[in-house]
Amino acid sequence: MEGGSGGRDGGGAPNPFVHELRLTGAQRAKFYLLGTVLAPLRVALAFIVLFLIWPFALLQVLHRSEEELKEPLMDWRSSISYSSVYLLSRLMFFLLGFMQIRVRGQRASRLEAPILVAAPHSTFFDPIILLPCDIPMVVSRTENLHVPVIGEAGGGSDRLGTAPWFPKNTELIALLRFNQAILVSRHDPASRKKVVEEVKRRATSQGKWPQVLFFPEGTCSNKKALLKFKPGAFIAGVPIQPILVRYPNSLDSTTWAWQGPGVLKVIWLTASQLCTTVEVEFLPVYQPSAEESINPTLYASNVQRAMARWITGGNLPDGGAGTLGCQELARWLGLPHPEAPEGLCAYFQQDPGGAVDARAVRLALQALEGGRSPEDLTLLAFELFCERGAGQGPPRLSREGFCAILRLLLGTPWADGAKLYTALGGAEPHHGLSIGQFQDFALCHPDYAPLFSTYLCLPVSARRAHAPHANGLSPAKSKAD
């Protein structure tokens, strides 16, 4: 595949630890041209900014005892350190070419989801998601304190090299202490037990501590499959918010797998691109069942399976737009018998060719699985069906989109939906409903608000009662197909 591909094992399945980067002649010429000027300048500026971060990180922890660092820091030094580290970190990634961070969905509060889990973990650039996550705390290996670079990102330190311009362990220690990271040793069982206790303590603090971010795969892959989630993030048994990390660029220069371009080549190729985009999608908060709360392995497997299904849907055009044929829909949902999916398609409005709207499928799945508040569900519906004008004005919901949402979620006939749309002011001169108008209708209308708040938001116990596992999923395999 042009631009990059993953290797395959003997059975034909994708090998998640192989990344083959294949460049065309034009791409090679472009990278040699930009790489001689743009990349060195960007890397030099980015490392200057990285070194500027260190004194602000040190400001927060200077002259603080270990006991003080075991509690949340909320004084003036913390405020200055946090703001400075945040802005300088964004500047550093911007200088490396990450000019745009696309954010989909809405980050849950620390009370709603004390723990965040991000996947797939494919590169040492993944810490960029700390920015839209409001710099949560992380779990780091103690071994990272002794390597002469910033972290291992799940890989072996022998692959990183010992370039003299990488920050030494003093800078890393300050950054980890600034973050109040939870440190774990892979070789010390007592350390792992302490980490479990500390994660539980912070996760059950009722919002006292910031959220904790995990990359549950534990190592980098090529994004062709989700690796088996480790149970550490799920031991506390509290609600978690899954986060999908994507790099929707024409050339995959960021992936850093065990077999593929090394760290220096990845940095050089990425810095040589005019712009590198990263997309961060906050998925609905996952509420564990009673069984999952006491079984972190089951909890991890079910979250992995749920995220894998979203990743498959995320590969559709425009993040879920377009149509799906019946068999394509069955494969997308991972149904065990995709040879007879006609009954499934009958639940959705079909075009003359028998295809269904992929946006309707995603919205229906979220409504059925639950876990979203009425505000979140209506926001998702609006984002899926809204339209943006050529003038890049605010997104608006057309009559067709409004009627499609009501028909799908509430069974409202098209004619009734069209009348409501006109009454709400969707016709001239507004050219569509804004998100505010749509949510005012869905959340405040005397007849429709009760449907959105009760009919579409069943209690957790009612949703779980008929399912052997949360979300009706069985334990997942180590790789998502």
Side-chain angles (χ1 to χ4, degrees):
M1 182 175 66
E2 183 176 305
S5 65
R8 292 183 175 271
D9 58 27
N15 184 337
F17 301 112
V18 176
H19 177 56
E20 300 175 7
L21 191 63
R22 301 171 184 172
L23 303 177
T24 65
Q27 287 173 329
R28 288 181 182 276
K30 168 190 165 186
F31 279 115
Y32 280 125
L33 178 62
L34 295 178
T36 57
V37 180
L38 187 61
L41 179 62
R42 279 180 162 176
V43 171
L45 292 175
F47 271 95
I48 289 174
V49 173
L50 180 58
F51 280 106
L52 291 177
I53 292 175
W54 175 71
F56 290 103
L58 188 62
L59 172 65
Q60 173 160 294
V61 300
L62 197 63
H63 301 308
R64 293 192 193 269
S65 66
E66 292 300 324
E67 291 301 318
E68 289 181 279
L69 293 176
K70 291 181 180 178
E71 297 298 328
L73 303 176
M74 294 177 289
D75 57 6
W76 66 270
R77 282 203 289 165
S78 298
S79 299
I80 294 176
S81 297
Y82 170 84
S83 301
S84 302
V85 169
Y86 182 93
L87 293 174
L88 288 171
S89 297
R90 184 65 190 99
L91 176 60
M92 180 186 69
F93 281 108
F94 181 86
L95 291 172
L96 287 173
F98 292 89
M99 300 178 183
Q100 185 177 19
I101 303 176
R102 296 178 186 168
V103 178
R104 296 178 180 270
Q106 186 173 2
R107 182 174 64 90
S109 69
R110 61 181 69 176
L111 285 173
E112 296 172 304
I115 291 177
L116 309 171
V117 294
H121 185 24
S122 64
T123 176
F124 46 78
F125 290 123
D126 281 341
I128 194 174
I129 76 166
L130 289 168
L131 300 174
C133 293
D134 201 26
I135 311 188
M137 296 174 178
V138 298
V139 177
S140 177
R141 294 179 291 191
T142 55
E143 290 82 0
N144 288 345
L145 297 176
H146 307 293
V147 297
V149 294
I150 288 188
E152 297 181 54
S157 59
D158 58 312
R159 298 181 57 232
L160 290 168
T162 56
W165 35 266
F166 274 97
K168 298 299 186 282
N169 59 348
T170 53
E171 285 87 344
L172 179 59
I173 291 172
L175 289 172
L176 290 177
R177 284 168 63 84
F178 157 80
N179 184 257
Q180 293 182 275
I182 302 172
L183 299 178
V184 57
S185 172
R186 292 180 297 176
H187 310 295
D188 183 4
S191 170
R192 291 197 293 269
K193 183 178 179 180
K194 290 179 181 178
V195 167
V196 169
E197 294 173 352
E198 183 63 16
V199 169
K200 287 183 176 180
R201 184 176 78 91
R202 298 191 188 188
T204 57
S205 67
Q206 299 299 313
K208 182 181 177 182
W209 280 93
Q211 291 164 308
V212 181
L213 173 67
F214 285 83
F215 287 94
E217 294 171 290
T219 191
C220 289
S221 71
N222 60 13
K223 303 188 290 287
K224 302 297 180 183
L226 276 186
L227 305 181
K228 183 177 180 180
F229 282 9
K230 301 183 185 300
F234 308 91
I235 287 176
V238 298
I240 63 99
Q241 183 171 33
I243 304 172
L244 294 182
V245 188
R246 302 186 181 98
Y247 294 84
N249 304 287
S250 58
L251 179 71
D252 184 3
S253 66
T254 59
T255 293
W256 185 52
W258 282 102
Q259 182 177 329
V263 60
L264 296 179
K265 187 173 182 179
V266 168
I267 293 176
W268 179 72
L269 288 173
T270 302
S272 297
Q273 296 207 71
L274 292 177
C275 178
T276 302
T277 298
V278 59
E279 183 177 288
V280 178
E281 183 173 7
F282 293 99
L283 302 186
V285 173
Y286 192 107
Q287 301 283 348
S289 65
E291 185 178 3
E292 288 169 322
S293 296
I294 60 174
N295 187 339
T297 301
L298 173 64
Y299 193 180
S301 296
N302 286 348
V303 172
Q304 177 198 359
R305 180 72 175 273
M307 293 183 72
R309 191 166 63 199
W310 274 86
I311 289 174
T312 307
N315 289 333
L316 296 171
D318 195 25
T323 58
L324 292 167
C326 290
Q327 296 209 9
E328 187 180 6
L329 172 61
R331 288 194 298 271
W332 180 45
L333 295 175
L335 299 182
H337 303 292
E339 65 276 4
E342 289 79 8
L344 177 64
C345 286
Y347 286 99
F348 301 95
Q349 187 78 13
Q350 296 174 264
D351 65 15
V356 301
D357 190 330
R359 298 172 300 177
V361 176
R362 294 190 73 173
L363 182 58
L365 285 174
Q366 290 306 304
L368 287 172
E369 289 187 357
R372 282 183 180 263
S373 66
E375 292 82 2
D376 287 343
L377 188 62
T378 52
L379 177 61
L380 173 64
F382 183 88
E383 290 178 342
L384 286 173
F385 286 89
C386 70
E387 299 177 356
R388 289 173 172 80
Q392 299 299 320
R396 294 278 177 172
L397 191 61
S398 67
R399 181 182 65 177
E400 289 71 22
F402 178 79
C403 294
I405 292 172
L406 292 192
R407 185 180 62 231
L408 176 69
L409 295 181
L410 305 177
T412 303
W414 186 278
D416 292 345
K419 291 179 181 178
L420 274 171
Y421 181 80
T422 301
L424 293 172
E428 298 285 352
H430 301 290
H431 303 290
L433 297 178
S434 67
I435 178 60
Q437 289 174 307
F438 177 65
Q439 287 199 315
D440 282 345
F441 156 75
L443 304 177
C444 302
H445 191 282
D447 297 324
Y448 284 86
L451 298 178
F452 278 96
S453 61
T454 57
Y455 177 68
L456 291 177
C457 299
L458 298 175
V460 173
S461 59
R463 295 197 305 268
R464 306 291 189 195
H466 58 83
H469 302 298
N471 291 346
L473 301 174
S474 59
K477 298 179 182 178
S478 61
K479 294 192 292 184
D481 297 329

